[in-house]
Amino acid sequence: QVQLVESGGGSVQPGGSLRLSCAASGSGYAFSRLSYCMGWFRQAPGKEREGVASISSGGHTTYADSVEGRFAASEDNDKNTLYLQMNSLSPEDTAMYYCAASSRFGGYCRGLLKRIFVDHWGQGTQVTVSS
């Protein structure tokens, strides 16, 4: 079983920045980063949960068009922690943000991670962008 715990959400004004973190751990067996594609999703009220960014075990990143150039996914493998740096935030970025892990294709993501392939979800962290 893999546990994902997000943190770093909050309220920010338009144009501001936030960095989300996702701490990954596994019980019963060591969490193997090589076995998972990691991703960030978000869900705004009344909308579908959508993929925002993916990062493969090799560090290859893919982004949704809506965040390309503004968001950056990274990770610290020593800490088993995934990050999402979000810049130039706008009210349209307001949502609950979720960390996700998929072993569907091993450590490969095959583009932006899709919801149907996610094996494990974090509990989410709220991001609110308003003036």
Side-chain angles (χ1 to χ4, degrees):
Q1 186 70 13
V2 174
Q3 291 85 41
L4 304 172
V5 179
E6 302 95 334
S7 61
S11 295
V12 64
Q13 292 186 339
S17 298
L18 280 175
R19 189 178 79 155
L20 306 183
S21 299
C22 171
S25 62
S27 61
Y29 62 90
F31 175 72
S32 174
R33 177 64 182 93
L34 295 177
S35 300
Y36 291 91
C37 163
M38 302 298 293
W40 288 97
F41 288 75
R42 66 184 181 186
Q43 187 167 18
K47 293 188 177 182
E48 296 283 324
R49 190 173 298 188
E50 62 176 359
V52 173
S54 301
I55 183 165
S56 71
S57 62
H60 180 74
T61 53
T62 305
Y63 300 96
D65 289 344
S66 58
V67 306
E68 182 79 55
R70 299 188 299 123
F71 289 14
S74 63
E75 60 186 329
D76 183 334
N77 289 326
D78 290 339
K79 296 181 180 179
N80 273 347
T81 301
L82 185 72
Y83 302 101
L84 184 67
Q85 177 67 44
M86 306 185 295
N87 300 323
S88 301
L89 286 163
S90 71
E92 289 70 34
D93 297 314
T94 295
M96 185 72 79
Y97 283 72
Y98 298 90
C99 181
S102 169
S103 60
R104 178 65 176 85
F105 303 110
Y108 297 95
C109 294
R110 296 195 180 184
L112 193 63
L113 179 60
K114 296 178 175 57
R115 284 180 60 185
I116 58 172
F117 296 142
V118 173
D119 300 309
H120 306 285
W121 293 98
Q123 83 288 351
T125 185
Q126 178 68 37
V127 171
T128 302
V129 185
S130 68
S131 54

